[in-house]
Amino acid sequence: MSAAGRPAWTDVRAVLEARGFRPARRFGQNFLLDENMVRAIVRDAALGPEDRVLEVGPGCGFLTLHLARAARSVVAVEIDPRLLEVARELCADCANVRWVLADVLASKHALEPRVAAELPRVEPWKLVANLPYSVSAPLLAVLAGLAHPPATMTVLVQKEVAERIAARPGTPDWGPLSIRLQLDYTARLVRAVPAALFWPRPEVESTVVELVRQPAALAPEEKAELQALVTRLFQRRRQALGRVLSEDVGRAAALQAIERAGLQPGDRAEDLGLDALTQLSAAVHALRPPPTTG
Ligand code: SAM
């Protein structure tokens, strides 16, 4: 294979067919065939020769090849053994790729331990991936919550997921996913990727979104409390705060917390930005009786 590009898609497809491969919808197996778009995503990730990269779902290895050339090392995690084999062959010249055959998530809340073991412990690292729909939102949340999280995440996801990630308060997309990620990252929609550039062609549109880690504003326990509050509030996002919180902590305490946070009982969760939600979470926490000792 030349350094300039990868084998023609017709050749790769012939290999896949010869091995009896059929793309599985449940694994989101839509390959990005357009080399210019693959290169654009690698540019979006702004990789340098010292960068360590995690790629989830290398598929046939089309993106992996460019990541391996741009970065110091790549950990590529693929659930489908047939694809892992095809990707390995495509990237045979790339000695800096570690291949892991695994479901990247052990549960909705935890990375597969074999994947966690491959991630850098000290050095900064980046996620760059064309993510399968089934894991995109939980995976990003899990990675954001790691003790040593990615410095940046540049991911191609379904357009609706990208819009939820980068949403602003007061819009229909603003919710637990936006809040979870924007607690730690700035989020930006980077580029639309038309469905025609994939095989098989997906029924949805896709968008590249970029997340850049920010210095921690909250301690881990404050973050956990805020997330628990957000989960409760957004289950009833259109209802007044006073009503929702009263059911949790009683009416008097709810009104007191809302006032302390500088909010109104008639405000709705979907209109509150990160600062307001953080203040509300702190005010609810302050009302709780201290744990008894002895
Ligand atoms: N990176 C390739 C590309 O851009 O053409 C393929 C991207 S495709 C959207 C998603 C890939 O993720 C598939 O190769 C699929 O087999 C893999 N995959 C799906 N679920 C996975 C999981 N839970 N863990 C690891 N890989 C997964």
Side-chain angles (χ1 to χ4, degrees):
M1 187 180 47
S2 79
R6 59 167 168 82
W9 164 236
T10 45
D11 295 342
V12 179
R13 190 170 175 176
V15 171
L16 291 172
E17 279 173 3
R19 296 179 190 182
F21 174 83
R22 297 270 174 286
R25 192 189 277 230
R26 74 179 191 288
F27 290 153
Q29 289 172 338
N30 303 96
F31 307 127
L32 179 57
L33 303 186
D34 187 275
E35 274 283 278
N36 288 332
M37 189 56 85
V38 172
R39 288 176 204 272
I41 293 171
V42 176
R43 276 199 307 277
D44 293 337
L47 297 176
E50 290 309 312
D51 277 323
R52 293 160 167 85
V53 174
L54 170 67
E55 183 192 12
V56 174
C60 303
F62 299 154
L63 176 60
T64 323
L65 193 60
H66 291 277
L67 295 175
R69 287 177 184 160
R72 176 190 179 115
S73 60
V74 179
V75 174
V77 183
E78 173 58 57
I79 200 168
D80 188 327
R82 296 163 306 173
L83 289 177
L84 194 79
E85 203 172 303
V86 170
R88 262 181 195 275
E89 289 166 14
L90 191 103
C91 301
D93 296 343
C94 307
N96 58 346
V97 181
R98 294 269 302 169
W99 302 98
V100 182
L101 178 62
D103 180 339
V104 68
L105 289 178
S107 76
K108 241 184 136 182
H109 306 289
L111 271 189
E112 154 63 39
R114 283 185 298 125
V115 177
E118 293 290 343
L119 295 178
R121 304 275 149 87
V122 181
E123 304 88 356
W125 60 279
K126 299 178 173 179
L127 173 74
V128 188
N130 172 12
L131 289 178
Y133 178 69
S134 53
V135 299
S136 49
L139 175 68
L140 294 173
V142 164
L143 294 180
L146 289 178
H148 187 50
T152 64
M153 302 196 266
T154 306
V155 287
L156 178 54
V157 291
Q158 186 174 329
K159 180 171 172 245
E160 287 71 20
V161 176
E163 287 171 349
R164 279 166 53 211
I165 292 170
R168 306 309 305 154
T171 65
D173 289 323
W174 177 247
L177 181 63
S178 348
I179 293 164
R180 173 66 200 89
L181 293 173
Q182 291 181 36
L183 266 176
D184 291 312
Y185 291 84
T186 54
R188 183 172 75 88
L189 302 179
V190 179
R191 65 178 71 244
V193 180
L197 303 188
F198 297 85
W199 180 88
R201 185 189 172 118
E203 282 158 17
V204 295
E205 294 298 313
S206 303
T207 301
V208 177
V209 60
E210 173 202 76
L211 292 147
V212 178
R213 189 89 182 174
Q214 301 301 310
L218 297 178
E221 57 280 9
E222 292 171 323
K223 228 185 265 181
E225 282 182 9
L226 173 57
Q227 280 174 243
L229 178 69
V230 163
T231 304
R232 290 203 301 281
L233 294 180
F234 276 82
Q235 278 160 355
R236 297 159 64 183
R237 54 187 297 144
R238 290 180 183 280
Q239 291 187 9
L241 281 186
R243 188 166 162 196
V244 181
L245 269 188
S246 293
E247 288 173 16
D248 268 9
V249 295
R251 183 156 175 79
L255 294 181
Q256 204 183 334
I258 290 168
E259 191 186 345
R260 274 201 199 181
L263 300 170
Q264 301 294 323
D267 288 342
R268 298 181 308 179
E270 65 179 9
D271 295 321
L272 304 185
L274 278 182
D275 287 348
L277 287 164
T278 304
Q279 280 167 24
L280 185 60
S281 178
V284 170
H285 177 79
L287 289 174
R288 287 213 192 99
T292 48
T293 50

